[in-house]
């Protein structure tokens, strides 16, 4: 899927973009984008294109029924059960059967159903459409193809962000991509691709090696290298894909909301989740946390609601108990922050606390098992063996390329760009225009470096196969 998607972007996207520019109507542009999106998904999942189309048709039908039926609660309830059922059948069947076998001592065969790529993303988008129609936030759509385009649009199909229908409903029907939109979109795409190829991929080389080593063979340096490198890999991989989606969408006239806002500058876990994967946290807030009662029913109920949300948030990320425990860790600390005045801590201490919790939790997120995660965390704090034999594993990963990518990640994780933009604004219009011109030159240079890296056959993992 990685090779296919990059091949698509490098070969087919320029053709699709050129055709989009010359087509005379939005309806024809939509038809082009719909065919392109289905073709894009079929590169990696030919059979499951039918599943995505069937899911879209079922949710479109539910929207139509909500506009005509008097039993609206029944309709939306059936639609939610249908969508959750898809996730259970295709994503969680093996986990459920395996857990039952471990709990009951049985040996039921695992279904071993192949996981459709991006099913968590397109299912949540489909579900949000039906719920928004039920709430009266959008009108039931009369065109199935508009709903299918919304669910299958290729820039954000396999790795997000999760887009709500009401955010782009108007742009599906009528839009115009100006020269500024196209230029800014291309620049944003280049930045996102650089995050993925130049930073995340180089972090992945060290991460995948260190997580393949027996935890007992890691000393503290190697264990911390694995933890910090993965913390950077997941952020720059995920935010890179989001940047690419936002950039490509803007080039076609769609304006997506931001999905990341420098989460590693957060000083509390609550602040972190306002900045990390914003589309997912917003989805859970609007469609689960608030309907459960939010913080309106007392402290105990608020804590329970947060724990339920983060249990499901962890489960959404993958069919493994490591993801569930990762979600519960975040939920537990958010519960703690609701009763402990963490915000009153000195900013530096709060920042350190937040990064430590996030980093340790990501060890669970990346590990193959809870046992492996626990063993690596133990080595992070107790692996004080710095003999030559022990240091070989760590030093092998600290190559000049890795250290350069790590240094770049530490800078890029800070709002340096925003600070520079404000400084240029204070220097006057001429300085601001020079800064903008320089940013475009830099983005093209980054694009060239990305192509050189990809052409060289550098390591290029796809980490969303679990989602």
């Amino acid at each position: 899927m990685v090779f296919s998607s990059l091949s698509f972007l490098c070969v087919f996207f320029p053709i699709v973009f050129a055709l989009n520019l010359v087509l005379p109507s939005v309806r024809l542009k939509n038809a082009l984008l719909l065919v392109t999106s289905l073709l894009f998904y079929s590169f990696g999942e030919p059979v499951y294109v039918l599943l995505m189309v069937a899911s879209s048709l079922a949710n479109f039908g539910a929207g139509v029924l909500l506009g005509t039926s008097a039993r609206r609660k029944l309709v939306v309830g059936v639609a939610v059960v249908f969508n959750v059922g898809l996730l259970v059948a295709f994503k969680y069947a093996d986990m459920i059967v395996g857990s039952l076998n471990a709990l009951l001592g049985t040996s039921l065969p695992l279904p071993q159903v192949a996981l459709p790529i991006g099913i968590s993303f397109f299912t949540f988008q489909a579900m949000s459409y039906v719920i928004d129609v039920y709430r009266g936030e959008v009108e039931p759509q009369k065109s199935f193809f508009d709903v299918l385009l919304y669910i299958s649009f290729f820039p954000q199909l396999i790795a997000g962000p999760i887009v709500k229908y009401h955010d782009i409903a108007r742009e599906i029907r009528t839009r115009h991509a100006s020269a500024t939109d196209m230029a800014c979109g291309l620049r944003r795409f280049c930045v996102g691709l650089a995050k993925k190829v130049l930073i995340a991929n180089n972090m992945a080389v060290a991460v995948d090696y260190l997580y393949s080593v027996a935890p007992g063979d890691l000393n503290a340096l190697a264990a911390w290298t694995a933890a910090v490198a993965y913390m950077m890999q997941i952020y720059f991989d995920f935010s890179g894909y989001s940047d690419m989606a936002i950039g490509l969408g803007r080039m076609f006239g769609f304006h997506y909301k931001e999905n990341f806002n420098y989460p590693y500058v957060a000083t509390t876990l609550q602040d972190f989740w306002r900045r990390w994967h914003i589309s997912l946290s917003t989805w859970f807030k609007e469609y689960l946390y608030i309907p459960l009662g939010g913080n309106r029913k007392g402290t105990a109920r608020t804590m329970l609601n947060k724990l339920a949300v983060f249990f499901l948030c962890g489960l959404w990320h993958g069919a493994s108990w490591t993801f569930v425990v990762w979600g519960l860790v975040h939920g537990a600390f958010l519960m703690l922050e609701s009763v402990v005045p963490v915000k009153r801590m000195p900013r530096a201490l709060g920042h350190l606390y937040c990064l430590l919790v996030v980093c340790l939790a990501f060890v669970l997120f990346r590990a193959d098992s809870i046992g492996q995660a626990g063993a690596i965390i133990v080595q992070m704090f107790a692996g004080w063996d710095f003999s030559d034999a022990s240091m070989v594993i760590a030093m092998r990963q600290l190559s000049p390329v890795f250290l350069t990518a790590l240094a770049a990640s530490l800078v890029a994780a800070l709002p340096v760009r925003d600070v520079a933009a404000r400084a240029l604004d204070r220097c006057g219009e001429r300085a601001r225009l020079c800064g903008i011109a320089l940013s475009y030159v830099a983005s093209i240079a980054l694009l060239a470096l990305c192509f050189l890296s990809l052409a060289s056959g550098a390591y290029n993992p796809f980490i969303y196969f679990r989602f």
Side-chain angles (χ1 to χ4, degrees):
M1 184 66 191
V2 178
F3 175 78
S4 299
S5 61
L6 290 175
S7 299
F8 177 90
L9 293 175
C10 295
V11 178
F12 292 104
F13 172 72
I15 299 172
V16 173
F17 182 67
L19 288 173
N20 181 75
L21 289 177
V22 300
L23 289 175
S25 70
V26 172
R27 181 171 294 183
L28 290 175
K29 293 177 189 287
N30 286 350
L32 171 67
L33 294 181
L34 179 56
V35 171
T36 302
S37 298
L38 296 178
L39 177 64
F40 173 70
Y41 194 73
S42 70
F43 269 56
E45 299 287 348
V47 175
Y48 285 141
V49 169
L50 299 177
L51 174 68
M52 183 173 60
V53 173
S55 171
S56 302
L57 182 60
N59 285 281
F60 166 75
V64 172
L65 284 175
L66 285 169
T68 59
S69 175
R71 308 186 70 178
R72 290 166 53 81
K73 285 188 177 181
L74 177 62
V75 173
V76 74
V78 170
V80 170
V81 170
F82 168 78
N83 284 293
V84 173
L86 277 183
L87 288 176
V88 170
F90 286 93
K91 186 171 182 177
Y92 302 109
D94 282 359
M95 179 183 177
I96 292 171
V97 173
S99 298
L100 287 174
N101 285 340
L103 186 64
L104 303 176
T106 56
S107 55
L108 299 172
L110 299 180
Q112 295 184 331
V113 179
L115 177 65
I117 293 174
I119 188 172
S120 295
F121 291 102
F122 71 71
T123 300
F124 266 33
Q125 290 202 175
M127 203 172 352
S128 71
Y129 164 71
V130 175
I131 295 172
D132 284 350
V133 172
Y134 171 74
R135 292 175 173 178
E137 296 181 10
V138 297
E139 293 292 325
Q141 298 306 300
K142 297 179 180 179
S143 170
F144 166 63
F145 296 105
D146 284 357
V147 175
L148 181 58
L149 175 61
Y150 154 68
I151 292 172
S152 67
F153 191 34
F154 72 89
Q156 40 73 227
L157 174 59
I158 60 174
I162 301 170
V163 180
K164 302 182 188 68
Y165 190 83
H166 61 75
D167 288 334
I168 62 167
R170 182 183 59 81
E171 292 177 334
I172 288 179
R173 296 188 300 271
T174 174
R175 63 183 179 275
H176 170 71
S178 65
T180 300
D181 283 327
M182 287 183 266
C184 290
L186 177 60
R187 180 178 60 183
R188 186 69 178 268
F189 173 81
C190 293
V191 170
L193 187 64
K195 284 182 176 181
K196 160 64 179 166
V197 174
L198 303 181
I199 296 180
N201 285 358
N202 284 305
M203 294 294 101
V205 174
V207 169
D208 290 352
Y209 174 77
L210 292 171
Y211 272 86
S212 70
V213 174
D217 293 334
L218 302 176
N219 64 9
L221 177 60
W224 276 102
T225 299
V228 172
Y230 184 69
M231 189 176 172
M232 293 303 176
Q233 180 197 352
I234 189 69
Y235 170 55
F236 285 99
D237 202 300
F238 206 171
S239 68
Y241 269 113
S242 292
D243 285 343
M244 285 188 272
I246 292 169
L248 290 175
R250 188 166 180 182
M251 292 174 73
F252 286 110
F254 293 94
H255 294 78
Y256 294 152
K257 293 182 178 180
E258 294 296 331
N259 203 27
F260 290 87
N261 182 25
Y262 301 106
Y264 292 158
V265 304
T267 55
T268 66
L269 265 294
Q270 187 178 35
D271 186 26
F272 174 81
W273 278 100
R274 292 194 187 105
R275 298 169 175 272
W276 176 273
H277 202 345
I278 299 169
S279 63
L280 179 65
S281 56
T282 302
W283 196 100
F284 273 109
K285 178 182 177 180
E286 292 184 4
Y287 299 113
L288 184 61
Y289 180 68
I290 292 176
L292 286 175
N295 58 1
R296 303 186 306 274
K297 298 186 177 182
T299 302
R301 181 64 179 271
T302 298
M303 289 185 176
L304 185 62
N305 290 343
K306 288 181 179 180
L307 204 60
V309 165
F310 277 91
F311 170 83
L312 293 174
C313 178
L315 195 60
W316 179 87
H317 280 89
S320 169
W321 288 108
T322 54
F323 292 110
V324 173
V325 176
W326 170 81
L328 290 174
V329 167
H330 278 271
F333 275 93
L334 284 169
M335 289 168 55
L336 180 66
E337 288 181 6
S338 66
V339 295
V340 176
V342 177
K343 293 181 180 179
R344 297 179 185 176
M345 289 194 302
R347 185 174 181 82
L349 186 58
H351 185 60
L352 180 61
Y353 144 76
C354 185
L355 285 179
L356 183 60
V357 173
V358 169
C359 183
L360 295 178
F362 271 139
V363 174
L364 275 163
F365 195 92
R366 173 58 179 80
D368 296 325
S369 66
I370 295 174
Q372 183 192 28
I376 291 174
I377 291 173
V378 167
Q379 292 302 104
M380 290 170 70
F381 294 97
W384 302 115
D385 177 9
F386 297 106
S387 62
D388 291 344
S390 179
M391 288 296 292
V392 166
I393 293 174
M395 297 306 297
R396 187 179 296 169
Q397 304 311 309
L398 302 181
S399 66
V401 173
F402 172 82
L403 292 174
T404 301
L406 180 61
S409 73
L410 294 174
V411 173
L414 300 173
V416 175
R417 183 182 60 185
D418 295 350
V419 173
R422 288 194 295 270
L424 288 172
D425 286 342
R426 289 193 295 269
C427 292
E429 183 65 13
R430 189 172 182 177
R432 188 183 70 84
L433 292 175
C434 288
I436 292 173
L438 183 61
S439 72
Y440 281 105
V441 172
S443 68
I444 298 302
L446 288 174
L447 182 63
L449 287 174
C450 290
F451 281 141
L452 287 173
S453 177
L454 293 171
S456 70
Y459 189 47
N460 186 34
F462 182 74
I463 64 175
Y464 303 98
F465 63 92
R466 300 192 195 185
F467 301 168

